[in-house]
Amino acid sequence: MSSDNKLLPKRIILVRHGESEGNLDTEAYTTTPDHKIQLTESGLLQAREAGARLRSLLSSNPSSPEWRVCFYVSPYDRTRSTLREIGRSFSRRRVIGVREECRIREQDFGNFQVKERMRATKKVRERFGRFFYRFPEGESAADVFDRVSSFLESLWRDIDMNRLHMNPTHELNFVIVSHGLTSRVFLMKWFKWTVEQFEALNNPGNSEIRVMELGQGGDYSLAIHHTEEELERWGLSPEMIADQKWRVNAHKGEWKEDCKWYFGDFFDHMADSDQESETDATEEDKLNLLTNTEDNNEELCS
């Protein structure tokens, strides 16, 4: 790995919180504020198991024994409790920092939620579109995208300025303990997925882990740690999976020329060369001139 990549985190890992009282029974939201919803006993166990899986993953490379981890966590009770259980698998020397980060909180669905009204509202969202629909008194996924984008800018500044005071001989890992939609939006922003691609994504399960790992060229990919079957199950299209596989060996800053969602949806008749483009433009000018001449003749004769 190049020296430019030494301070980059080896992995950026997204973890959804464990099963919550709201996941078990949506009635909980009618009497308890969303940020106060607690984990169930099953959710606490899921979080502890997630911690064991994380520890196993981070310590799996014998050539990098001096690995470290930095946690970012949503301020909601269920994410804080998830992190607390995850932390049981780590010693203090392995954790170089923990930051509570409001910008990675759950999508705001409003205040106390009336069950029947929320059910009707979610039906409207399915017709309107999950990304742009804004809940009354709450947020849209597009609003979440904006604050996650701001969080990512801060994350990169922390890396660039080495605010974590990271020893370059240590392998750095970021773990972001957050929520289902927030994690999907994070991936959307990072990999520049479109709104249409976001709409097809499936929510991660409780305490599910999604690993973005740094390739040799300095780009991150989901395809290093996860199988193609997993990516399909998450809702990634064949083109998105191919992009993840390309990123495994891509060099930081490279552009994937055949990335269909950047060109095909907008320029489906684009010429392959400047010469063809100029020829097409000349033919179009001739056609426009002929049409205008005919229109003018009609006006003179009328």
Side-chain angles (χ1 to χ4, degrees):
M1 187 172 293
S2 71
S3 58
D4 291 341
N5 296 333
K6 282 187 176 179
L7 289 179
L8 291 176
K10 173 67 174 177
R11 303 173 189 87
I12 300 174
I13 304 173
L14 304 172
V15 185
R16 187 187 174 197
H17 60 79
E19 181 189 70
S20 72
E21 295 169 346
N23 296 140
L24 201 61
D25 183 4
T26 55
E27 286 282 355
Y29 297 110
T30 65
T31 57
T32 305
D34 195 357
H35 66 281
K36 289 294 186 182
I37 294 289
Q38 303 296 311
L39 293 182
T40 63
E41 287 299 320
S42 177
L44 291 167
L45 178 59
Q46 289 171 344
R48 284 195 291 274
E49 291 173 346
R53 292 198 303 274
L54 284 170
R55 172 65 191 244
S56 176
L57 170 62
L58 302 187
S59 60
S60 61
N61 186 359
S63 64
S64 300
E66 288 301 318
W67 55 269
R68 296 292 187 272
V69 61
C70 180
F71 292 101
Y72 293 83
V73 62
S74 158
Y76 282 35
D77 283 0
R78 57 187 179 273
T79 42
R80 289 167 57 92
S81 294
T82 298
L83 177 56
R84 192 172 295 112
E85 297 305 313
I86 286 174
R88 296 178 186 274
S89 295
F90 294 87
S91 64
R92 184 176 294 275
R93 68 180 289 265
R94 295 291 186 179
V95 181
I96 62 173
V98 180
R99 293 188 181 177
E100 183 177 285
E101 176 53 69
C102 283
R103 289 172 292 182
I104 58 172
R105 67 187 185 275
E106 175 66 291
Q107 178 182 8
D108 191 345
F109 297 105
N111 297 313
F112 290 110
Q113 300 174 23
V114 178
K115 187 174 182 178
E116 292 303 320
R117 187 171 65 188
M118 184 57 67
R119 183 181 292 120
T121 298
K122 288 185 176 179
K123 286 183 179 179
V124 175
R125 179 181 62 169
E126 291 304 311
R127 290 192 290 112
F128 192 92
R130 289 190 297 166
F131 187 75
F132 290 114
Y133 182 80
R134 179 176 286 115
F135 283 86
E137 301 178 351
E139 290 181 303
S140 66
D143 296 323
V144 178
F145 182 94
D146 291 342
R147 54 178 164 82
V148 166
S149 298
S150 172
F151 165 67
L152 267 174
E153 291 172 2
S154 299
L155 201 66
W156 277 116
R157 282 197 298 273
D158 286 349
I159 294 170
D160 290 341
M161 300 179 70
N162 194 21
R163 286 175 173 160
L164 301 175
H165 305 291
M166 184 62 191
N167 185 330
T169 65
H170 294 172
E171 183 179 271
L172 176 61
N173 299 273
F174 285 170
V175 175
I176 301 172
V177 183
S178 184
H179 307 265
L181 181 134
T182 310
S183 296
R184 283 179 283 147
V185 166
F186 183 98
L187 294 173
M188 176 190 182
K189 169 64 179 176
W190 189 284
F191 293 118
K192 299 179 176 62
W193 292 338
T194 66
V195 172
E196 182 179 1
Q197 289 168 327
F198 169 84
E199 296 276 1
L201 297 177
N202 298 315
N203 217 31
N206 291 121
S207 290
E208 185 175 340
I209 294 169
R210 297 188 174 181
V211 181
M212 300 162 52
E213 188 162 328
L214 186 67
Q216 289 296 317
D219 204 347
Y220 287 89
S221 173
L222 294 164
I224 297 175
H225 180 76
H226 299 288
T227 65
E228 183 170 339
E229 290 72 22
E230 283 180 289
L231 301 182
E232 287 178 351
R233 191 170 66 250
W234 298 351
L236 274 69
S237 68
E239 292 81 11
M240 295 163 74
I241 293 173
D243 180 63
Q244 291 299 316
K245 290 180 177 179
W246 172 79
R247 289 173 181 270
V248 172
N249 297 305
H251 290 279
K252 187 169 56 177
E254 280 186 341
W255 179 269
K256 192 172 189 298
E257 296 295 340
D258 62 346
C259 192
K260 295 181 179 179
W261 59 82
Y262 292 128
F263 288 100
D265 287 348
F266 301 98
F267 305 117
D268 53 343
H269 299 299
M270 183 178 284
D272 290 331
S273 69
D274 289 344
Q275 186 176 0
E276 290 177 9
S277 178
E278 290 168 1
T279 300
D280 290 343
T282 302
E283 292 298 325
E284 185 176 354
D285 289 342
K286 289 179 180 178
L287 180 60
N288 289 337
L289 179 60
L290 179 61
T291 302
N292 291 336
T293 301
E294 291 175 349
D295 290 344
N296 289 335
N297 289 339
E298 288 178 4
E299 290 178 5
L300 290 172
C301 294
S302 60

